Amino acid sequence: MAGLRAKQKADKTRRILEAATTLFREQGYDSARIEDIAELAEVSVGTLYNYYQNKGDILVATVAMEVTEVLEAGARIVADPPLNVAEALRALIGQYYDHSLFYLSKEMWRTAMAISIQQPETPLSKRYTELDGQLCAQVVRLVETLQARGVVQAGVDARAMGEVFFNNLNMMFVEFCKADAMPLEELKARVNAQHAPLAALISSVKIV
């Protein structure tokens, strides 16, 4: 019975998040109403409030769903990365970016970012920061894996370099979300170009 209850809870949670993302995209985050989200998810308003206190909770939960799926896909790349620093980074970061608009629009990302900055001590903000930390840790693991396989120079601080790569990809994603007209392919091309010199610098195999 406990397993059935957990499955039912997961199903309701998924329906709520999918309904919310649909309405956030169609109506905008500010205009979407909790009552309409509940109706589209086929749950009562009371049931929705049992799971989430407000729209901000729902939005951050959607970000968490997005990042969880991205991390799962990224783990497969980290486990068996291309044995070339630039190509490995391109594969992992490209996977992050390709999935980034699956659940959330740019406007939704901007709202989530604003909540995390404006209310830094709230559980919502702390959860957003935690998710960023998990993504950063995965980029660090990629560099560490490449170093263990002899692709990155032994003397390189893998953690520091992973953090540099993550900080740049994260900042560029912010710029992407701010610019409605910027296509995803432009974002990926710019980040790949920025990372290429650093990748060459730390690579143990020099291309001449």
Side-chain angles (χ1 to χ4, degrees), residues 14-198:
R14 186 82 182 195
R15 295 208 315 268
I16 291 168
L17 295 183
E18 289 179 350
T21 57
T22 297
L23 293 180
F24 290 164
R25 285 179 183 276
E26 292 178 352
Q27 303 176 6
Y29 174 81
D30 290 334
S31 298
R33 302 189 315 146
I34 289 287
E35 293 80 4
D36 294 332
I37 294 171
E39 181 179 357
L40 187 58
E42 298 181 339
V43 300
S44 69
V45 173
T47 296
L48 188 150
Y49 278 120
N50 285 336
Y51 291 92
Y52 305 105
Q53 294 183 9
N54 50 49
K55 287 195 296 184
D57 272 351
I58 296 173
L59 182 59
V60 173
T62 306
V63 172
M65 180 170 64
E66 162 74 35
V67 173
T68 297
E69 293 185 9
V70 162
L71 287 169
E72 289 173 354
R76 293 190 287 273
I77 296 173
V78 172
D80 187 24
L83 296 181
N84 173 285
V85 179
E87 290 179 10
L89 287 167
R90 189 179 303 117
L92 183 63
I93 295 167
Q95 185 270 133
Y96 289 172
Y97 288 161
D98 284 339
H99 202 295
S100 65
L101 300 180
F102 188 79
Y103 296 115
L104 295 96
S105 65
K106 288 189 178 185
E107 187 245 359
M108 291 159 68
W109 275 113
R110 290 195 295 266
T111 302
M113 292 171 189
I115 290 172
S116 72
I117 293 170
Q118 293 170 355
Q119 305 169 30
E121 297 306 316
T122 63
L124 294 179
S125 178
K126 291 178 181 178
R127 178 60 174 150
Y128 189 94
T129 301
E130 176 190 334
L131 294 168
D132 261 1
Q134 292 178 28
L135 288 168
C136 183
Q138 188 168 74
V139 178
V140 169
R141 283 196 297 276
L142 175 66
V143 179
E144 291 173 340
T145 299
L146 293 172
Q147 190 173 54
R149 298 188 181 185
V151 179
V152 169
Q153 296 174 44
V156 168
D157 185 333
R159 174 170 294 278
M161 287 307 307
E163 289 171 351
V164 168
F165 287 128
F166 173 77
N167 289 339
N168 184 67
L169 75 89
N170 198 34
M171 190 65 246
M172 288 301 296
F173 184 68
V174 173
E175 294 303 310
F176 168 71
C177 291
K178 286 163 57 179
D180 282 325
M182 184 189 295
L184 195 58
E185 290 307 311
E186 179 181 340
L187 169 66
K188 292 195 289 187
R190 289 175 63 181
V191 171
N192 290 339
Q194 291 165 1
H195 286 172
L198 283 176

